[in-house]
Amino acid sequence: MTHTSAAPTDLDRARAKYRAERDKRLDPSRREILDLSAREKLVEDPFTDVAPREPLHDTVDVMVVGGGFGGLLAAAHLRKAGVERIRIVEKGGDVGGVWYWNRYPGAMCDVESYVYLPMLEELDYIPRRRYSYGPEILAHAQRLARHFKLYDHALFHTSVTGLKWQERSARWIVRTDRGDEFQARYVVVAHGSFTSLKLPAIEGIDSFEGALFHTSRWDYDYTGGDSSSPLTGLGDKRVGVIGTGATAVQIVAPLAESAQRLYVFQRTPSTVAVRDNRETDYAWARSLEPGWQKRRRENFTAVTNGERITEDLVGDGWTVFYHAMLSGDEYGALNPQEVAEQRELTDLEHMEHIRARIDEVVRDPATAEALKPYYRYQCKRPCFHDEYLPAFNRPNVELVDTQGEGVRRITPRGVAVGEVEYPLDCIILATGFDQDSAYVDRVGFDVTGRDGLTLSRKWENGPETLHGVMSSGFPNFFLLPPNYTQGTAAVNFCHTLDETAQHVAVLVAEFERRGVIADVTRQGEEAYVRQVTEGSGLALLGGGGFLKDCTPGRWNNEGDPDGRPRKNVNYPGTSTAYFTMLEEWRHRCEFDELSLTPAPKPSPEVSVAKPVDDERSAR
Ligand code: NAP
């Protein structure tokens, strides 16, 4: 067992400090975000021109919404299961999802490439570095699409505007913003978590006269350079970055190198631990035994779930913390309260290391102090970087600590904090993504299932699903559940996507084999919803009870963890337990929670020459 050097008195001091830092940020206005519908410029695709094309009126076997890793994996596993006509419909100009959009300088994945990038063995690819940069990840998404021939029917720069189940033909009618109206026998929505931009409703934001963009719509025409070379357009520019989350931590160093002056506007500091990236050792890669990626990925997920395993194969910044946080059993005779205190001490020790690193790296004591995160490690998404902190030693870089208030006012000339106006040529919003609006709003279209039931109405008070993957009244319809949609949230998001994608593909293949339409029964769904809402729904070590004392953020529902809608939860167990539950359920092949009805006889491909109207014309 790891012994901590932090003493209980330190714990009292830390608790008081953490609460004070939380209290000064508890402000309901932090939830206010901009409506982007009238601000198309901010969301349009700066990377690929939209190619004109004729609307489509045909039929596919499966329509997959989203061409990120979720959609690609669903389509790849479906292809492996023998499904032929698969159509990915994607808003961006290519596959890649978050990696298509997030091309900001320095973009990289914080999860080790050998466990993050899917299907490495199958595609015979070894990433160039331990932590891959954005372009390599995007190229891997494209490699997946080529390998499984997923470009064949794909539609890019196309957004679904509505889905409607047609009982007579047992097909989904798909409408898009490009005038398409085609049919699909199955639908998989792999929408992801980082699709809708989150722009804080800052007073005066529309009045700014300089350049302004979100990190996921990087304007290289303005900044010059590319994701890995100097931003040559910024040599005479004063740049402001709003936000200090995982994205900001990656863009600050490249901006610092290129901008004449850089201001980083901080509301809450992130934890920034050692990155230690390195080139791949190809001799090591050649020595890997078949099946290595599955083993490594499962091991990483187990460690970051806090499961007890003898070996930590990845051994990086993520796993070191979870390894130190021992499981309850290892605390021997301690009672639950004592276990909780031991864990808190371990957490404190870890946070002390993170804060000490700032003092070691950042020369100006006031800046160093302002950069220190005062909360428990699991309160916020941890970050890892080796150039972020040193950037604040540069003479052209200034941290503007807003004392927990955040930026509240933008003027035509720049950003105002208190009485000080910071004149800027460019504002970069590193303010993240909306992951909390109603599911249908984030996805951008409604789904009309049986008897005119819409998903927006059914999920008015939160999701109602079986396993986070299917929902009663919506036959042959699947989702790869984003966080808090009754699925799970492994640290390695691609692991979650791959497991749920495999699940969906196995189900579709089985329904095809049986020649049935599959819907969830109300009883089956109610039982699962009861299970997830009555469980804790949080797979955080220590159960997440500490979240109410955290500085506000997404992981604690902006400071109100008990206020999160009751059904917006994850499976009440670790992600490993969730994956096992899915696998055992589908292998039992009993499907008691499903209603399976005979599918209409397969018909040759139907060309829907004119719009298929609603059920009235069908009857
Ligand atoms: P984020 O984590 O939501 O961070 C947004 C930042 O903006 C926070 O620092 C927030 O402060 C700040 N902010 C919001 N409004 C503000 C205001 N008015 N004034 C000043 N600051 C303000 O967004 P993100 O950094 O884009 O990351 C989003 C997600 O993407 C992450 O959770 C992560 O999962 C993912 N990501 C992954 C990788 C990867 O390695 N795979 C890399 C980057 C991002 P508060 O903390 O006070 O709210």
Side-chain angles (χ1 to χ4, degrees), residues 117-126 140 288-295:
L117 291 180
M119 296 193 174
L120 287 178
E121 288 186 77
E122 198 155 350
L123 272 66
D124 195 20
Y125 184 73
I126 284 288
H140 191 67
L288 293 165
E289 299 282 337
W292 68 267
Q293 192 185 23
K294 184 175 188 311
R295 281 193 297 279

Side-chain angles (χ1 to χ4, degrees), residues 120-185:
L120 287 178
E121 288 186 77
E122 198 155 350
L123 272 66
D124 195 20
Y125 184 73
I126 284 288
R128 302 210 311 262
R129 293 184 189 81
R130 190 173 185 204
Y131 300 94
S132 292
Y133 285 97
E136 185 179 31
I137 304 174
L138 178 57
H140 191 67
Q142 292 162 338
R143 185 176 297 115
L144 263 171
R146 283 194 305 273
H147 184 86
F148 290 101
K149 301 196 176 359
L150 303 177
Y151 280 116
D152 286 0
H153 299 285
L155 299 177
F156 296 110
H157 284 141
T158 304
S159 297
V160 172
T161 53
L163 288 178
K164 187 163 187 171
W165 175 250
Q166 192 184 57
E167 199 69 60
R168 177 182 57 94
S169 62
R171 287 175 182 190
W172 286 97
I173 311 301
V174 184
R175 294 188 169 96
T176 78
D177 64 348
R178 302 292 295 267
D180 308 306
E181 183 166 299
F182 61 88
Q183 304 190 15
R185 298 195 298 120

Side-chain angles (χ1 to χ4, degrees), residues 25 30 98-99 102 104 107-111 116 132 137 194 198-202 214-215 241-250 265-270 275 318 375 380-383 402 404-408 429-433 435 551-555 558:
R25 291 175 174 82
R30 58 182 290 129
V98 285
W99 299 105
N102 287 275
Y104 57 80
M108 76 154 51
C109 185
D110 278 340
V111 174
Y116 180 79
S132 292
I137 304 174
F194 305 130
K198 181 165 155 186
L199 268 46
I202 301 173
H214 186 269
T215 45
V241 170
I242 299 182
T244 47
T247 300
V249 165
Q250 296 183 343
F265 297 94
Q266 170 182 274
R267 185 162 69 184
T268 314
S270 284
R275 166 72 308 155
W318 285 104
Y375 45 78
K380 271 187 184 294
R381 200 276 199 186
C383 303
T402 64
E405 288 212 337
V407 171
R408 304 249 173 133
L429 297 160
T431 49
F433 302 89
Q435 301 176 64
T551 50
R554 182 170 148 63
W555 288 11
E558 301 300 334

Side-chain angles (χ1 to χ4, degrees), residues 54 64 84 88 90 154 183 237 300 394 430 448 477 518 533 550:
E54 291 299 312
V64 178
E84 282 174 15
I88 289 177
E90 164 59 50
Q183 304 190 15
K237 300 287 191 298
F300 178 78
R394 299 178 66 111
T448 308
F477 178 83
T533 51
C550 292

